[in-house]
Amino acid sequence: MTTVLNPSSPDAGAHGVAQSRGLFDREILGQALKDSLRKLDPRWQVRNPVMFVVLVGSIITLIESFAHPSTFTWSITVWLFLTVIFANFAEAMAEGRGKAQADTLRKMRSETEARRLRADGTEELVAAALLQKGDLVVCEANDLIPSDGEIIEGIASVDESAITGESAPVIRESGGDRSAVTGGTKVLSDRIVVRITAERGHTFIDRMISLVEGANRQKTPNEIALTILLAVLTVVFIPVVVTLEPFAGFSGATVSVVVLVALLVCLIPTTIGALLSAIGIAGMDRLVQRNVLAMSGRAVEAAGDVQTLLLDKTGTITLGNRMAANFFPVHGHSEQEVADVAQLASLADETPEGRSVVVLAKENFGIRERELDPSHVFVPFTASTRMSGLDMGNRSIRKGASESVKKWVTDQGGNVPTDLDEIVEKISRAGSTPLTVADGSTILGVIELKDVVKQGIKVKFDEMRKMGIRTVMITGDNPLTAAAIAQEAGVDDFLAEATPEAKMALIKKEQEGGKLVAMTGDGTNDAPALAQADVGVAMNTGTTAAKEAGNMVDLDSNPTKLIDIVEIGKQLLITRGSLTTFSIANDIAKYFAIIPALFAVSYPQLKALNIMHLHSPQSAVLSAVIFNALVIIALIPLALRGVRFRAANSAAILRRNVWIYGVGGVIIPFAFIKLIDLILVQLHAY
Amino acid sequence: MGFFFTIVALIVLLGFTWRYLGSYMEAVFDGRVHWLGWLERPIYRALHTSPEQEQTWKRYAGAMIVFSAVSLVFTYVILRIQGSLPLNPQHMGGVGSALSFNTASSFVTNTNWQNYGGETTMSYFSQIGALTVQQFVTPAVGIAVAIVVVRGFSRRNSPTIGNFWVDITRCMLYVLLPIAFLFGIIFVAQGAVETLAGTVSIRDALNGVTQTIPRGPIGFMESIKQLGTNGGGFLDTNSATTFENPTGLTNFLSIYLLLSIPFALTYTFGKMVGSVRHGVALLSVMVLLFGVWVGFTSYAEHQNNPAVAAAGIHSTVGNTEGKEVRFGDTSTALFGVSSTMTSTGSADASYDSFTPMGGFGLLTGMMLGEVTPGGTGSGLYTLLIYAVIAVFIGGLMIGRTPEYLGKKIQAREVKLAGLGALVMPIAVLIFTGIAVSIAAGKAGPLNGGPHGFSEILYALTSQGNNNGSAFGGLTGNTPFYNIIGAIDMLIGRFGIMIPVLALGGALAEKNVVPESLGTFRTDNGMFVGLTIGVILIIGGLTFFPAISLGPIVEQLSHGRFF
């Protein structure tokens, strides 16, 4: 059937803004260490209820340490402070990566001068900072575009590598869907007049900086819900620990305040509490690494919830252009003949379709490209003739829509072969486009132009299906063609002859059924649909309207990335859920370490609960506290990278994570607390 | 062997009840049952309401609170002035204010904690008009609240969640009254006492003393006592006496009755949300935990009491101290676990005399929050709170905003479920902390040390969970315990009910997310496991330190921890 080619642009992930840094870049590490001390400020800590309780607890033990100094109380105090610092460190690490990216962007937003057009058409030089919305500026070759705007006059090639990392220049021109320019990009040739569309401080780069820095990062809905759950699990353990003192006192037993604080800190979900904001920041960061800018964390989360993906056929499912795939001769002619004439007709045709005809003829039939004589006249395709071709003196050859070519041939007195319609219909039915080839008054055959489905796309759709996500292909093609491509690409459904209204209606219908919808778009007429969709990814090449309507911008303008975005959204939630489970499951081992130690003096019989056979009450408590602190550090890489995500159905993902983080979370601390205890004994600490 | 047959008969009977009572209740609350329409309609007219007048959750909660407050005052006043009311052949005087407050709170919250001996404190009028009335209406309130949460799941984009007055009327008319009436007849036929005549005096010529035998309208109170998971008996010794629980059959039926509605409501749930499988999942959570606790406690009671064994006395029939020989050790343990795990609190033995591990079984049965299967209605709605938390954590682990039955579990739902789950442990722990710290509280328990602590902890756990079972050994009828207990009970009931109603309202407003392969399954073993995990972790982690200072240390002090 179809030839499957490699995707046109490989993922341009590692350029530009998204310069990826190692997980523990030295520069970031140093800054993070400083920040983690700065963040000990209680005003900062209070935002995180779990860690705030730890901070208060460590202050209590600090006071106790001064009142009743001993190695034990001091050790506990130090480790409790370290727990808070480790949590700060995790957050600072995640922020640090964003800050580094922001610095790169800031350098780019250099202070430039703009050539503003006065009303009378003369130019004046003003600082870019003084530009107002609506001002007109002139940019010529080698000028930096001073701010975001829209080209109202002219055409230019622009180097956007500062933003996209893509070094090839792009063409920007007034009118249509390619008129938007971004401040900080560089004009390489020609002259354009740009109308400024953004105030200072609200340009695209400004938004990017604040996004990657997480300056005004707001908690996402699931993050808020999880914070509430963690607060609940923290609040419930406060009376548990506080009442232990009177409970024990009733039977004449005594408990130490330091051990009670240690117990509280070990019971509240410090692991997830410490890593929660780092996970969120890192999730945004992972998107930036893929050159996608999410305007809000909410959008990233919504991406994980998406149940319907609307994908444009062209560029997402198929390569941008149709390619010649076959030559079908009519009765009495050979394939070779068709190929020969078809190639001749296409020699001067610079469209990708035309090029593909030349290439196919060369590859399959060894017909070399011929030099064109200056006397040969290329007849370009127009909407009215619906044909293109070549006039070589008396000889005229044409390729084009079947009906038009038939009329052209009969007008010259030629005949239409009887089997032509049959061939044309067969090609149409397969979802391809037929181009009839004629040499003078003789019809030779038909070229089959096929949409080329991107390699590997079917596998992606299968994965989506496994995750319960429905894929819908959007195309302007007729239903017949659409159905054929849909089947080949393996999408679940298609919307043929799509208009912006039909797209909008489809999104609304899906949403009324309770589904979340994601789509990509670039044109101004996509804007309403992008705004309506729960996740609207605008292409960076698209119009300002589209970029403003969507809640994400893909700097690479690669619509296939929608699938990656969904995976990142899911990974973000999975990481949170798994670490929450792990954190809670850890409590069991800590109980068995601390409870027997707590009442070791009053109720030595509770030693039976010391199933880990920890050396002494003090080493047991300290081991649990040390484990509790170190596990935060140990999990930072996981929090920043996200837990491994494999496309599978929910049951399989859940089973895997429950085993690793739930059951593992119960077992692992037993082993490590015992290990830390052994080390403490070896060090003769106790 | 007898125990084995008891279990089998119970499973078969409860299985049928689950299926048919469950589906019948769904019809009742859907308004498709009308065989007492001639009685139902005038009630609505009198209340100026109708099934068409639906309420928002706030109005529903308002109606529930008004109704409960009126019930509280009504019960309190009757107890206070019972000396001037009819049906008082023993000429009982008015009940003291602290005890009346405790008792009124106790019966209005479906707890039935009794700081009094019925036969020496309450007139027949109080028993019937105040206490038995509450035994009918409070299960109806509990079930109504549970139905609201279920409607939260079954409705979509709905601002209203039903009508409180209609729900409790239907529940009483079509569910509680007919079943209680039927079983009342059986209890009376089996020999439970039912009379309005006063006590009888017997002259024991041999010993030269006169015995006063209390009587009263006991039989019919018995059936609703168990059916409504109330547990408050007419007589002080509750189901251990032959007057309340005359035969092995009534003992069996008592266990059956108190488990029937709490289990059956899971079928009602499944049917209302359109997936019986989901009901089965919740049932499995209940049955698995219940089964483990029955096994554990029965085994514990089948052993010797470690203190008795230490004295060199060995029994071959388990721990018989404080038990009715008619029922035996394992069957008593079954009764005890059924009663404590359904928030009923009736007793056919002295729980104080259970082995430490047997007592541990009863105490922890309550500490799990009364969800296995829990009280009438309260069991289901509390379990749904835990299920929501389990869904939230599990749902995150698959990378989607968690959903339960298509309803997204977001900040508001987590907050309400968290609040509902927090209330009970915090109330119980803080009140126990107060009781063990101040002189008035320390004076309560009969024993000192860990057992005394267990007695206090048990009392406040029982009241905070609206169970009402008594460990014994605690002098509860003091102003301190009456008041602290009453507050504990009121918080334990309404502190959970209000967030639960809000949860129902929040869920009903939401649209339904269609199910797909990416949806977190809430009708399979994994969900059951996660929910059990959440129940054990919240119940276990919050109470483990307290328990280790009570029954665990006690058991370990006497010997080996088994």
Side-chain angles (χ1 to χ4, degrees), chain A residues 85-152:
Chain A
I85 291 170
F86 290 168
N88 291 342
F89 178 70
E91 195 182 56
M93 278 294 293
E95 284 172 348
R97 290 157 65 77
K99 282 213 184 83
Q101 283 158 355
D103 289 342
T104 320
L105 285 169
R106 270 208 198 87
K107 276 178 210 144
M108 193 171 84
R109 195 186 55 179
S110 52
E111 293 304 319
T112 47
E113 294 214 302
R115 294 160 59 187
R116 185 160 65 183
L117 272 184
R118 289 209 193 87
D120 58 10
T122 55
E123 285 179 21
E124 60 177 343
L125 273 182
V126 291
L130 297 175
L131 286 176
Q132 301 280 316
K133 213 168 169 176
D135 281 350
L136 300 182
V137 294
V138 179
C139 297
E140 277 178 306
N142 292 327
D143 283 350
L144 276 179
I145 297 176
S147 185
D148 295 358
E150 205 152 348
I151 301 178
I152 53 166

Side-chain angles (χ1 to χ4, degrees), chain A residues 222 305 307 513 591 605 650 657, chain B residues 397 401 514 517-520 541 557:
Chain A
N222 278 312
D305 287 349
Q307 279 176 304
Y591 256 135
Q605 54 272 45
S650 60
N657 290 327
Chain B
M397 273 196 285
T401 297
L517 267 177
T519 308
F520 172 57
L541 292 184
S557 305

Side-chain angles (χ1 to χ4, degrees), chain A residues 326-333 338 402 417-430 432-437 443-448:
Chain A
N326 287 299
F327 298 113
F328 292 102
V330 292
H331 188 69
H333 296 277
V338 183
S402 187
T418 45
D419 55 348
L420 177 69
D421 283 350
E422 198 188 309
I423 295 169
V424 166
E425 209 193 302
K426 200 182 88 191
I427 293 171
S428 298
R429 223 179 305 120
S432 306
T433 309
L435 284 184
T436 304
V437 181
I443 290 180
L444 300 171
V446 187
I447 311 169
E448 182 186 11

Side-chain angles (χ1 to χ4, degrees), chain B residues 246-261:
Chain B
T247 63
L249 177 65
T250 56
N251 195 53
F252 173 80
L253 290 179
S254 293
I255 298 171
Y256 161 72
L257 277 178
L258 49 87
L259 293 172
S260 57
I261 293 181

Side-chain angles (χ1 to χ4, degrees), chain A residues 222 225 236 240 243 246-247 250 304-305 307 465 467-468 512-513 515 570 573-574 581 591 599 603 605 650 654 657, chain B residues 393 396-401 422 429 433 437 453 511-514 516-520 526 541-542 545 549 553 557:
Chain A
N222 278 312
V236 79
V240 168
T243 55
F247 288 179
F250 177 80
D305 287 349
Q307 279 176 304
R465 201 167 300 113
M467 292 190 271
E512 268 158 32
K515 289 182 177 171
K570 285 195 177 295
L573 292 186
I574 293 176
T581 308
Y591 256 135
F599 304 112
Y603 295 123
Q605 54 272 45
S650 60
L654 184 64
N657 290 327
Chain B
I393 298 174
L396 283 183
M397 273 196 285
I398 59 159
R400 279 261 291 264
T401 297
L422 271 183
L429 288 169
S437 305
F453 174 70
N511 197 357
V512 172
V513 180
S516 75
L517 267 177
T519 308
F520 172 57
M526 186 55 99
L541 292 184
T542 49
L549 286 174
V553 87
S557 305

Side-chain angles (χ1 to χ4, degrees), chain A residues 466-675:
Chain A
K466 263 195 230 155
M467 292 190 271
I469 297 170
R470 207 164 73 93
T471 45
V472 181
M473 182 182 82
I474 309 285
T475 172
D477 291 341
N478 64 57
L480 208 65
T481 314
I485 298 167
Q487 204 206 351
E488 192 186 337
V491 290
D492 297 312
D493 203 353
F494 64 88
L495 179 69
E497 286 165 356
T499 57
E501 294 76 32
K503 235 179 188 177
M504 190 73 171
L506 178 67
I507 293 173
K508 282 190 174 158
K509 197 186 98 199
E510 294 283 316
Q511 286 175 335
E512 268 158 32
K515 289 182 177 171
L516 263 61
V517 183
M519 68 168 284
T520 57
D522 54 1
T524 300
N525 59 12
D526 284 331
L530 279 171
Q532 178 72 29
D534 301 281
V535 177
V537 183
M539 299 295 105
N540 192 45
T541 51
T543 60
T544 314
K547 281 200 253 181
E548 273 170 10
N551 46 18
M552 290 192 197
V553 175
D554 178 13
L555 299 176
D556 296 339
S557 305
N558 171 9
T560 318
K561 222 186 266 172
L562 196 49
I563 295 168
D564 297 348
I565 294 172
V566 168
E567 290 187 352
I568 289 173
K570 285 195 177 295
Q571 196 188 28
L572 179 65
L573 292 186
I574 293 176
T575 308
R576 285 198 196 123
S578 300
L579 290 184
T580 304
T581 308
F582 183 79
S583 193
I584 299 170
N586 275 201
D587 277 7
I588 296 168
K590 295 178 202 161
Y591 256 135
F592 279 99
I594 297 182
I595 293 285
L598 190 59
F599 304 112
V601 181
S602 312
Y603 295 123
Q605 54 272 45
L606 281 177
K607 231 193 291 178
L609 295 181
N610 182 8
I611 53 176
M612 283 176 272
H613 298 289
L614 301 177
H615 176 69
S616 69
Q618 296 188 328
S619 74
V621 174
L622 192 56
S623 303
V625 170
I626 293 176
F627 170 78
N628 196 51
L630 289 183
V631 78
I632 296 172
I633 290 287
L635 291 175
I636 288 177
L638 185 70
L640 296 187
R641 262 194 231 112
V643 305
R644 205 144 61 95
F645 177 77
R646 249 196 255 123
N649 64 39
S650 60
I653 296 176
L654 184 64
R655 209 176 313 118
R656 180 185 145 85
N657 290 327
V658 165
W659 275 107
I660 297 178
Y661 299 98
V663 179
V666 172
I667 297 166
I668 288 167
F670 277 103
F672 279 89
I673 290 175
K674 177 70 187 168
L675 183 68

